[in-house]
Amino acid sequence: MSSSTDSPTLTTETTQLSPQPDTETAKPTKKITLKSSDNQIFEVEESVAMEFATVKSFFEDSPSSTDIVPLPNVTAKPLSQVIEFCKEQIKFKANPDEAQKKKYNAEFLTEKSDKDLVDMIPVANYLEIKDLLDVLNQAVADRIENKSVEYVRNFFGIDNDFTAEEEAALRREHAWAYEGVDED
Amino acid sequence: MIADILSRLPVKSLLRFKSVCKSWHCMITDSSLGFQALHYDRSQRKPRFLLQWPDFDFRPLEPAGCRYVYNFISIDTEGNMISPIQVKVQEPVKLILPGCYGLVCLATETRIHVFNPSTRHLIALPTDRGEIAGFGIGYLSSAKGHVIVRLNIPRQSRTSLSWKLECSVFTFLPENGGPKWRAVKDGCPYLVEQFSFPAFANETIYWKIDRGKHQALHRHNDFIVSFKISDEKFQTITHPTDWRPETHRQWRSPVRNSTQLVELRGHLYMVETAAFSYVAVWKLTDPGNSMWSKACTIDISKFHPSFVGELQCVKGTEIIFNSFTHLLLYYDEENKTSRKKILPCSAANLTIYCESLTFPATQHV
């Protein structure tokens, strides 16, 4: 597998390979090219791509392959966010600092919109990035924990398939569970 | 994806989200789909405490069955308040047992109740013969159901060592033939301490023998009587060989020495608290042969005795104790340090449980 210096046009979505200021800079890093379903090309360091279990197994299955890795279920925006997250996690793997990592994860999550989070989950799931999936699922759970039923339907784009009578009966059954809920 | 997100939520949110749509309703309520088990698996890692306000209300004008009103607050292990909870029963509550797979068992003079603090369902089990001599709750994983065990004070007084307490069990499983107590063949060879907590581990309920009420013991060092819920057999277990029972009394008290049984990480432990001095913890490594091993000793000479109640749980490297006053005590086993958290009321009556969606469906109670 050769490093893909001759890769196709890099889009604005591409995660820039900023030179690492540490001692590792001497070693040239291998790069792997990923292609999203909307045909955007991402060039990422091998170490980052190996965080994606799906990509890793792609190379294990066909080690000689030099092709671009197509990701047919993944669009560019959530993919770029996932890559951004994984790049940071690699740094924490090299220099474990739980407090810094927690802080980064919290910041990463708070600046994302509800839609960003919900869109990233299937990507993390498809690429089998366990840590990220766990972080995202917890973030979504935290966001909806104290919300109303209507808010949650809206959040996930779910249609209400209960009749008005059925819904009223469910509300009566656990009236206390509807108390103290955040304003939408 | 949705199941993983929802399994992280507290039960209160899930009861509300049952009305989001039919598929969510089904996932949350159908116990056979695995979601409830996934949810319990997560909630096990964040136990909660039911904190009982010291007073209860007697409301003579209320309908029978709810004249005694008890107020609780559920708190997390850091003492943060989660929600107030009210329980109404027929008679004064005598004892509340630590939670078992989400359910808490509480007894009045004549009745045993099963309560899920997270869904707030309460069921009064039918009455059974006689007075309650002891009770316990277990969970049979093979049948995915709770088992409530009741020891009954016998009508005839005991005359010989062959005498045994009668025992009956209650399950919510459909094959049991309706909600009723079923007498067990084997009997309990000893009276058990009525006001200390039994513990449930390895499909077995363990009670401390009420040694003071027996003139003779089968073995001089018999200390625990156990009941295995899978084969419904009683056994006795002797105390650790390096422990002397003479100075220990059964009543909970801050200034006397006491012993406690507790389940931690799936095993039975015995905790000895010597006021002004130490807490010693033994693990039952082999129930069949009464083999114990000393797990740790904690120096409590610096604490006022009212600060050290029962060992409640272990979280990370910290052991959490309730107290006979308004605080929770955390002892870090690794660093030999401690910290405290102030609570809104006395922590003397505190019940540990984990949130669970399970509640057995019974029709007539």
Side-chain angles (χ1 to χ4, degrees), chain B residues 61-85:
Chain B
L61 299 178
E62 289 274 324
C66 41
R67 287 185 182 147
Y68 287 86
V69 181
Y70 290 84
N71 289 299
F72 299 88
I73 37 175
S74 70
I75 58 171
D76 65 17
T77 50
E78 286 301 314
N80 302 309
M81 181 172 145
I82 295 161
S83 60
I85 298 173

Side-chain angles (χ1 to χ4, degrees), chain B residues 264 269-270 280-284 292-298 333:
Chain B
L264 300 172
Y269 285 77
M270 175 186 138
V281 184
W282 283 266
K283 179 183 178 182
L284 181 62
W292 297 86
S293 71
K294 189 83 157 268
C296 70
T297 307
I298 302 166
E333 214 190 328

Side-chain angles (χ1 to χ4, degrees), chain A residues 118 121-122 125 133-138 140-142 144-149 152-153 156 158-163 166-167 170-171 173-174 176-181, chain B residues 1-26 29 42 45-46 48 83-85 117-121 355:
Chain A
V118 172
I121 288 173
N125 194 29
L133 195 57
D134 189 62
V135 163
L136 289 171
N137 284 343
Q138 188 59 50
V140 170
D142 291 343
I144 63 171
E145 176 175 330
N146 247 339
K147 299 295 184 193
S148 71
V149 170
V152 169
R153 280 188 196 131
F156 292 105
I158 295 172
D159 291 326
N160 177 14
D161 51 3
F162 287 112
T163 64
E166 284 170 336
E167 201 180 337
L170 284 170
R171 277 175 190 264
E173 196 188 346
H174 303 288
W176 63 272
Y178 293 82
E179 291 165 10
V181 170
Chain B
M1 156 187 160
I2 288 292
D4 189 274
I5 294 170
L6 297 188
S7 70
R8 297 159 191 266
L9 292 174
V11 167
K12 182 184 176 187
S13 304
L14 294 174
L15 294 179
R16 188 166 67 245
F17 296 160
K18 282 200 311 194
S19 57
V20 165
C21 64
K22 284 180 178 162
S23 70
W24 282 33
H25 181 273
C26 182
T29 52
R42 280 196 206 283
R45 292 172 228 161
K46 33 185 185 189
R48 290 183 172 189
S83 60
I85 298 173
S118 20
T119 63
R120 306 193 179 181
H121 280 110
E355 284 224 312

Side-chain angles (χ1 to χ4, degrees), chain B residues 137-205:
Chain B
I137 181 166
Y139 185 83
L140 202 52
S141 325
S142 57
K144 293 200 174 78
H146 287 82
V147 178
I148 295 95
V149 178
R150 183 184 154 138
L151 307 174
N152 300 305
I153 293 189
R155 279 146 294 184
Q156 288 124 13
S157 61
R158 56 189 193 278
T159 50
S160 69
L161 272 176
S162 61
W163 163 94
K164 281 181 173 179
L165 270 182
E166 287 167 10
C167 168
S168 32
V169 296
F170 187 97
T171 63
F172 296 98
L173 308 172
E175 61 265 32
N176 194 35
K180 62 172 190 288
W181 291 96
R182 173 172 58 80
V184 166
K185 280 204 190 88
D186 200 7
C188 177
Y190 285 115
L191 289 166
V192 301
E193 288 186 6
Q194 265 186 294
F195 294 96
S196 68
F197 305 116
F200 175 73
N202 305 314
E203 305 215 309
T204 307
I205 300 173

